[in-house]
Amino acid sequence: MVVTESVPEGILRRQSARESAARTYARALPIVPVRARGLTIEGADGRRYLDCLSGAGALALGHNHPVVLEAIRRVLDSGAPLQVLDLATPVKDAFVTELFRTLPPGLADHARVQFCGPAGTDAVEAALKLVRTATGRTGVLAFTGAYHGMTAGSLEVSGGAGDVRVARLPYPQDYRCPFGVGGERGAELAARWTESVLDDPKSGVRRPAGMILEPVQGEGGVIPAPDAWLRRMRQITAERSIPLIADEIQTGVGRTGAFWAVEHSGVTPDVMVLSKAIGGSLPLAVVVYREELDAWQPGAHAGTFRGNQLAMAAGTATLAFVRENGLADRAAVLGARILRGLRRLAEEFPCMGDVRGRGLMIGVEMVDPEASCGSQGMEGIEGIPGSDEAGGVGEVQGLGGAHRPFPAAPALALSLQRECLRRGLIVELGGRHAGVVRLLPPLTITDEQAAAVLDRLADAMAAVAASHAHGRDEKGRKGRKRHREQAGQAEQAGQMEAHSPSRQNPPDRPPEQVSRQGSSADRAR
């Protein structure tokens, strides 16, 4: 009997056979999308999914929003060129005008914009080159847990870098605070560390060309920067004439509950790196910076596809729709509601160690609540005070009251992602150990859809918890059985040894010494 494969199976098989081993999302999400609208994706097999990945945050308005499609059609029907390098066009002029309308006032009034290659990582490269050119310095300050892209310079300032021209600074967070205290005290220690590195002539760090940071770390595990700490970074860099670069590639265009995430803290950076949502689902990346930094020579940073007219038209429509319809405020309200729902769920399932986020950029860190808590840096060290708050969900109090969170559980996070997919919900994984389940729904998600997302995630979480408990019980039974077998073997061996001549009359020491010391097993007990 010949078994024929379905269309989606054939497509997935050919993808696996032909595409690079570097593919990522395709491994975790074995689906073949054929239609999409808003939050919903339909696969080639007819199944429908609620998409809380949104093109890794690129789809602020979801899939195929009418205003985006109409903007693209207008350009196509007009006969306008689709690719113009860096020439001026009405489409580009409209995009720049709308973009500047949304920027923080302190930047928009005296800014320049650099169009880059189509990916955010190229915009990061341009920003790093820009501040190095403008300052004449080479070093860069970046933060643990950062993610800025996959090209060489972007990887240098990301968390997994090796031997680079970058000084790594602690990024404050509550759950896994690098100083083991969390809260305002942890953020204050992180700020003091930064000041010390810059002001200590023996720190080994020369005055850098710039500092780059994410207002909310995305791939680092959805970690919002404390507003007060971000203001300190602005103060520290301004006082030392160090350009501050804000990477708003994923946080921008309303995602966090403000149009740009730096607005939560009232900070105006010197440079903003923008991509993803600004292209309205099409590839587009720019750098916006203070005009006094504009030290470029012609052609100092270029790219063939920096003139993508369809992306600029789609981006203009997206920026205007988000601004005119108050979608940033909507993201703040609905995001807070989803966070409350997830935190209630975490009270039922201890393996949901921490629920955090800002706006519609949300993460759930999966942990193993039955494993011993590992060291978290400096907790319990004399002189490092503990948090004033009681231990929250998924954490215990360590020495001196310091935070000691449970170990990350990437296997549980992967299981939750798979169970979500079985229930028609697409989520992403991130975080230091790929142990954070991430939600990035479009800003157009409705109340009913948000409730459906929570319901499906709760159902998936219950399945994961039940499977984990069953696996733990099975492992325990096997362990107890193995222990009984080992104990029986040890007892049998002991009886045989007791009747052997050498055991009864050891040549090395008198019988009373053997009786006094006992066996190693006895001593261990």
Side-chain angles (χ1 to χ4, degrees):
M1 179 180 177
V2 178
V3 178
T4 58
E5 63 184 3
S6 66
V7 172
E9 287 174 341
I11 292 174
L12 291 172
R13 178 182 56 79
R14 287 188 291 276
Q15 180 190 42
S16 178
R18 295 169 176 170
E19 287 192 27
S20 164
R23 66 189 187 283
T24 54
Y25 297 106
R27 296 178 185 274
L29 305 171
I31 62 177
V32 180
V34 292
R35 277 174 293 276
R37 187 66 174 261
L39 181 69
T40 305
I41 286 179
E42 182 179 337
D45 58 358
R47 289 196 65 194
R48 294 192 174 189
Y49 303 86
L50 299 181
D51 181 14
C52 283
L53 175 57
S54 298
L59 306 174
L61 304 184
H63 295 276
N64 293 323
H65 194 280
V67 302
V68 173
L69 296 182
E70 178 58 29
I72 293 172
R73 288 192 189 101
R74 281 198 301 269
V75 175
L76 292 174
D77 293 343
S78 71
L82 302 183
Q83 163 64 330
V84 294
L85 300 173
D86 64 356
L87 299 179
T89 70
V91 173
K92 176 192 273 191
D93 184 63
F95 172 78
V96 173
T97 298
E98 182 59 40
L99 175 64
F100 273 53
R101 185 178 289 133
T102 70
L103 293 175
L107 181 60
D109 296 342
H110 305 282
R112 297 292 180 95
V113 60
Q114 165 77 30
F115 285 83
C116 308
T121 187
D122 190 67
V124 171
E125 296 282 348
L128 297 176
K129 286 170 62 177
L130 173 70
V131 296
R132 283 169 170 154
T133 300
T135 64
R137 304 190 289 264
T138 58
V140 176
L141 298 176
F143 291 87
T144 55
Y147 177 77
H148 298 288
M150 295 300 291
T151 52
S154 300
L155 284 172
E156 280 191 340
V157 291
S158 297
D163 184 18
V164 294
R165 296 176 294 171
V166 174
R168 199 77 50 190
L169 300 170
Y171 191 94
Q173 54 173 306
D174 286 340
Y175 191 61
R176 298 193 186 278
C177 174
F179 304 101
V181 296
E184 293 181 4
R185 181 59 174 160
E188 172 63 19
L189 290 171
R192 289 188 188 182
W193 183 285
T194 300
E195 288 182 313
S196 175
V197 165
L198 288 171
D199 296 341
D200 182 356
K202 295 296 184 180
S203 70
V205 177
R206 295 182 179 180
R207 180 174 296 182
M211 172 191 285
I212 185 168
L213 55 78
E214 300 160 274
V216 180
Q217 286 195 343
E219 296 303 315
V222 191
I223 303 172
D227 291 337
W229 174 83
L230 197 52
R231 287 190 287 269
R232 284 286 298 280
M233 293 303 101
R234 173 67 286 186
Q235 178 186 1
I236 289 169
T237 53
E239 289 175 349
R240 294 160 179 80
S241 299
I242 300 170
L244 177 63
I245 306 169
D247 183 340
E248 291 262 14
I249 289 173
Q250 192 168 87
T251 55
V253 194
R255 169 62 57 188
T256 67
F259 206 100
W260 306 107
V262 292
E263 294 177 326
H264 290 291
S265 58
V267 162
T268 301
D270 301 295
V271 183
M272 289 177 65
V273 182
L274 314 175
S275 187
K276 290 192 185 291
I278 68 163
S281 77
L282 298 179
L284 187 64
V286 303
V287 182
V288 180
Y289 53 91
R290 295 187 186 277
E291 58 187 2
E292 56 264 32
L293 295 174
D294 195 28
W296 290 122
Q297 293 296 316
H301 193 85
T304 299
F305 293 102
R306 55 191 160 145
N308 187 338
Q309 298 292 280
L310 291 182
M312 292 178 192
T316 302
T318 298
L319 294 171
F321 192 89
V322 171
R323 176 180 56 81
E324 293 168 358
N325 291 275
L327 292 191
D329 293 336
R330 165 75 175 161
V333 172
L334 193 53
R337 186 183 306 165
I338 293 174
L339 281 172
R340 287 195 297 270
L342 290 172
R343 284 169 178 155
R344 285 194 297 269
L345 191 64
E347 294 175 359
E348 181 180 353
F349 298 107
C351 55
M352 296 174 66
D354 191 37
V355 175
R356 54 185 180 254
R358 201 155 205 177
L360 289 174
M361 192 171 180
I362 296 169
V364 177
E365 182 164 350
M366 301 297 290
V367 300
D368 186 351
E370 298 189 358
S372 61
C373 298
S375 172
Q376 293 300 315
M378 299 172 65
E379 69 266 28
I381 296 177
E382 185 177 356
I384 301 294
S387 171
D388 292 332
E389 301 174 354
V393 173
E395 67 182 40
V396 296
Q397 294 299 95
L399 297 173
H403 290 282
R404 301 195 69 189
F406 293 115
L412 285 181
L414 181 59
S415 295
L416 182 56
Q417 184 188 43
R418 289 172 176 168
E419 291 295 338
C420 284
L421 190 64
R422 291 192 182 100
R423 289 157 178 78
L425 176 62
I426 297 173
V427 296
E428 185 181 9
L429 298 184
R432 300 318 206 258
H433 306 282
V436 177
V437 176
R438 300 186 58 197
L439 300 177
L440 291 164
L443 310 188
T444 52
I445 184 174
T446 66
D447 291 350
E448 294 76 13
Q449 289 172 331
V453 167
L454 283 172
D455 286 344
R456 295 185 191 191
L457 198 148
D459 191 41
M461 188 65 251
V464 168
S467 177
H468 181 60
H470 175 75
R472 187 175 62 246
D473 292 343
E474 184 66 23
K475 183 178 180 181
R477 283 193 295 270
K478 290 181 179 179
R480 289 191 293 272
K481 180 181 178 182
R482 185 163 56 250
H483 177 73
R484 288 194 299 269
E485 291 173 349
Q486 291 172 346
Q489 293 169 357
E491 182 178 357
Q492 184 178 7
Q495 291 173 352
M496 293 175 62
E497 184 181 5
H499 289 86
S500 68
S502 61
R503 177 60 178 164
Q504 294 177 31
N505 298 292
D508 306 306
R509 60 186 190 273
E512 62 270 18
Q513 184 177 355
V514 175
S515 175
R516 212 168 34 242
Q517 289 186 351
S519 68
S520 60
D522 291 334
R523 291 197 303 274
R525 287 197 294 270

